Amino acid sequence: MLRIGLTGGMGAGKSTVARSLVARGAVLVDSDVIAREVVAPGTEGLAALVDAFGSDILAADGRLDRPALAAKAFASDAARTTLNSITHPLVGRRTAELIAAAPADAIVVQDIPLLVENGLAPFMNLVLIVDAAEETRVRRLVEFRGVDEADARARIAAQATDEQRRATADVLLDNNGAEDAVIAAVHRLWEERLVPFERNLRTRKPVLPVDPPVVAANPEWGAQARRIIARLAVACAADASAIDHIGPTAVPGKPAEDVIDIRITVAGPAVADGLRDRLADIGFPVVGAAQVAEGERLHANADPGRPARVLISAAPGTTAR
């Protein structure tokens, strides 16, 4: 199963991209839909909110009156913490249920408006950011959603910045133009990257380009390495003493083969062996026939869109088998 994180600022066109992915066969897990579902009438979530904030957060028909809840829940840090302690576990549990119910070969798209703000990118195999200029987003919110312009700008200002989103993006989808253009880009992405990535992940097939050409220095190499390191850090937990970007792409401004090299330093070969399945599960299967030094292990990215090698080596002073 391939897990894709999808996000973008308000008015960027995230829903258009989500619909396009679903049309190609993706399983959509929409955080906004889940957040409404877990506090619908008759749910434990709504009952807990009433217990915490009072029955006056209910509308006449028994549904949650969201403005009334917001007035109370955002009045103080303590109230906001109470709200989050009720809703976040319920949303997390329902999200896990939906993902578990998806087929083993599914491409699961998690539509998460606050993916960047909540630091969830390292838990995804790939992050798609829908990008549009602020003025374009404001215009869409005013024209198509009926949002007051001042309110639209305030909401945008409260979200992550464009720079923060772009730093998180494995794929940046430009949606400043016509809808047909971004839909076509999504279809190409599906065929050329997502489908092969899912297959490689499921079959644990690493992607190692043969004799990749030397190319001009890419200013994005550092950011790409940081995103890979963040995912590896989640998988390795406390078993890695260091995770570093190494090799030619780690040298700013220097031409190099377009392959990101990462080194994970561990306490010994047994620890490296223990990471084998965990790294494969997140999309970095072992390269079985690779020639590396004694006691070292080589993994490679299963994502055809970002060639990367991950070398696991023992710290100095440890004994290799």
Side-chain angles (χ1 to χ4, degrees), residues 305-316:
R306 178 59 276 166
R309 295 177 290 238
V310 178
L311 180 68
I312 307 181
S313 60

Side-chain angles (χ1 to χ4, degrees), residues 5-6 79 116 141 143 241 257 259:
L6 172 65
V116 174
L141 290 170
E143 292 183 7
S241 58
E257 294 179 351
V259 182

Side-chain angles (χ1 to χ4, degrees), residues 1-315:
M1 178 186 298
L2 184 68
R3 291 179 63 180
I4 304 296
L6 172 65
T7 195
M10 290 185 64
K14 184 164 52 65
S15 296
T16 298
V17 171
R19 286 194 299 270
S20 300
L21 289 165
V22 170
R24 298 312 300 264
V27 174
L28 180 63
V29 178
D30 189 322
S31 293
D32 279 346
V33 171
I34 294 171
R36 292 191 294 270
E37 177 185 315
V38 298
V39 293
T43 61
E44 63 174 295
L46 185 58
L49 290 177
V50 170
D51 285 343
F53 295 102
S55 60
D56 53 342
I57 65 168
L58 297 177
D61 62 0
R63 296 180 183 275
L64 179 64
D65 183 335
R66 292 183 178 276
L69 173 63
K72 291 189 171 188
F74 294 99
S76 68
D77 289 342
R80 186 164 54 251
T81 298
T82 298
L83 172 66
N84 291 340
S85 70
I86 293 170
T87 58
H88 286 186
L90 296 172
V91 170
R93 186 174 71 195
R94 182 58 178 153
T95 298
E97 290 171 354
L98 292 172
I99 292 172
D105 61 351
I107 297 175
V108 174
V109 175
Q110 292 183 243
D111 182 337
I112 308 174
L114 298 181
L115 182 146
V116 174
E117 292 86 340
N118 290 337
L120 298 176
F123 299 92
M124 306 295 162
N125 298 118
L126 206 68
V127 171
L128 311 186
I129 302 289
V130 186
D131 188 51
E134 181 174 330
E135 292 305 315
T136 300
R137 291 156 54 199
V138 170
R139 177 180 55 79
R140 289 171 179 167
L141 290 170
V142 172
E143 292 183 7
F144 303 123
R145 297 196 200 175
V147 179
D148 176 78
E149 180 176 341
D151 188 22
R153 293 188 185 278
R155 294 189 195 186
I156 288 172
Q159 293 186 322
T161 65
D162 291 343
E163 291 73 20
Q164 288 170 325
R165 289 196 193 91
R166 290 167 187 162
T168 307
D170 297 295
V171 177
L172 191 68
L173 292 167
D174 185 343
N175 193 25
N176 285 289
E179 184 175 290
D180 288 350
V182 75
I183 291 174
V186 169
H187 289 182
R188 289 193 299 272
L189 176 69
W190 180 268
E191 296 296 336
E192 297 172 8
R193 189 168 183 178
L194 302 188
V195 169
F197 190 1
E198 184 284 318
R199 182 173 56 247
N200 293 342
L201 177 64
R202 176 166 35 89
T203 60
R204 303 201 168 191
K205 177 184 176 182
V207 176
L208 275 178
V210 178
D211 297 324
V214 173
V215 299
N218 183 346
E220 293 297 315
W221 279 336
Q224 292 167 358
R226 287 190 290 274
R227 291 193 289 270
I228 292 171
I229 288 171
R231 292 185 175 108
L232 294 172
V234 169
C236 292
D239 288 327
S241 58
I243 307 178
D244 302 296
H245 182 195
I246 62 172
T249 60
V251 182
K254 180 181 178 180
E257 294 179 351
D258 189 17
V259 182
I260 302 295
D261 287 300
I262 305 294
R263 179 176 57 220
I264 301 175
T265 304
V266 298
V271 178
D273 289 341
L275 293 176
R276 180 182 180 122
D277 288 339
R278 277 188 267 165
L279 295 188
D281 288 344
I282 67 165
F284 292 89
V286 70
V287 181
Q291 297 297 312
V292 292
E294 183 181 0
E296 294 184 328
R297 310 288 183 268
L298 183 65
H299 292 244
N301 203 351
D303 176 7
R306 178 59 276 166
R309 295 177 290 238
V310 178
L311 180 68
I312 307 181
S313 60

